[in-house]
Amino acid sequence: MPTTERNAPIDVPRGLKGVVVTDTALGDVRGLEGFYHYRQYSAVELAETRTFEDVWHLMFYGTLPDAAGRAAFTARTAELRRLPADVRDALPAIARSCALAGPLAGLRTALSLAGASAGFRPLYDIDADRRRADALAASALVPTLLTALHRLGQGLAPVEPRADLPYAANYLYMLTGQEPEPARARAIERYLISTIDHGFNASTFTARVITSTGADLAACLVGAIGALSGPLHGGAPSRALDTLDAIGTPERIDPWIRERVLAGDRIMGFGHPVYRTEDPRSRMLKEIARGFGGPLVDFAVQVEERVEAILAELKPGRELHTNVEFYAGVVMELCGLPREMFTPTFASARVVGWCANILEQAEDSKIIRPAARYTGPPPPQPVPAI
């Protein structure tokens, strides 16, 4: 329990739920309202009206660019997409080593190498301009690394980035080798914008903890990627589609869902630790999916409706709605992304949010160092002799 003794430990909720650990000007999630924002703007409205580069600029510099600023920033970041020769040469070996684990695991190694190759220095030792330059370079490189690792894992040659394509379209081009249809590029762009940042989630908090030690930017991002890879965080979009596959047909929806609910099992794609209303990202992605239409979309909507109805019957009073992963998986499937690239695609957007948080955290040199309650055998015990 709380105490007034100076520097004494203070009990907090498990998982730090609801605990405020710092101030931020980057955005917030208001879970009871079903609303989140980047700086002073609705994140969903930004996804509906602006480009990825505009929002990237907003997160890094605090302002939305005008037309001239957009063109300049887009050109500047496009120039940073190409991999250094030593990093490119190492990717085949990294892809082979991560053949079973996938591109996100390979990204951790590749990004460490890229940071070392670029001479990233500890954030504690460099000024704000150099930190931002490192953050821009890393954010621009991540899509190139991810798509190259995926293609190498499929026995295909990496596709060089194109400076004439915007962020999302270039990502799809590097992934498939073909320039995407505008509707699909825009659908993925809206998804990417909507996932740039989302409060103090596990990966963002991890990035800030590492930043507080003064480590280099690549180290901070590698830690964030590790957190994102967990199925309870960013690893769920493909699992949500796996749920649809497991159900299979409309007549199996009710028995499948009832069995899982009564067993207390988690239904992937539903529920969120912050939102007590519909996830606004899910609402937007559902609209995008319906714009494409087709059997998969119809089935997903039917599953969503039945899950909510069955929960209302079996668990009255419990609010459980689709989260971002449910319709994100549907949209990415409709846009031709392979399932093993769903979470890496998430990472290709969230890297901008991580970097913005890293830049903000680096302005405060106080290391994040919480305490833990010891629950083992009472010390000191005598050390037994051999």
Side-chain angles (χ1 to χ4, degrees), residues 166-190:
Y167 193 90
N170 178 66
Y171 178 77
L172 291 173
Y173 170 72
M174 290 191 297
L175 187 63
T176 66
Q178 298 180 341
E179 187 170 339
E181 297 175 8
R184 284 175 167 75
R186 180 56 183 156
I188 294 300
E189 181 175 47
R190 290 175 66 186

Side-chain angles (χ1 to χ4, degrees), residues 241 244 253 285-305 326-327 329-335:
L241 273 188
L244 297 182
I253 295 175
L285 290 164
K286 181 178 181 179
E287 171 201 326
I288 294 172
R290 279 181 151 162
F292 287 110
L296 175 61
V297 178
D298 294 341
F299 187 52
V301 171
Q302 192 174 359
V303 168
E304 177 192 11
E305 292 172 349
F326 189 77
Y327 283 107
V330 173
V331 169
M332 284 189 275
E333 182 100 334
L334 293 172
C335 290

Side-chain angles (χ1 to χ4, degrees), residues 244 247 253 257 269-270 278-279 282-283 286 290 297-311 320-323 326-327:
L244 297 182
I247 296 172
I253 295 175
I257 297 299
F270 287 81
E278 184 182 12
D279 187 329
S282 178
R283 189 184 312 121
K286 181 178 181 179
R290 279 181 151 162
V297 178
D298 294 341
F299 187 52
V301 171
Q302 192 174 359
V303 168
E304 177 192 11
E305 292 172 349
R306 292 307 302 155
V307 167
E308 293 189 357
I310 292 169
L311 277 168
L320 192 67
H321 304 281
T322 55
N323 56 40
F326 189 77
Y327 283 107

Side-chain angles (χ1 to χ4, degrees), residues 206-261:
T206 300
R208 293 188 72 130
V209 169
I210 299 172
T211 303
S212 79
T213 72
D216 70 81
L217 186 129
C220 303
L221 291 176
V222 168
I225 294 163
L228 185 76
S229 68
L232 297 185
H233 188 12
S238 61
R239 293 174 184 243
L241 273 188
D242 291 343
T243 294
L244 297 182
D245 289 344
I247 296 172
T249 58
E251 60 270 15
R252 280 177 43 83
I253 295 175
D254 281 29
W256 195 95
I257 297 299
R258 285 180 184 277
E259 180 181 345
R260 297 309 182 281
V261 172

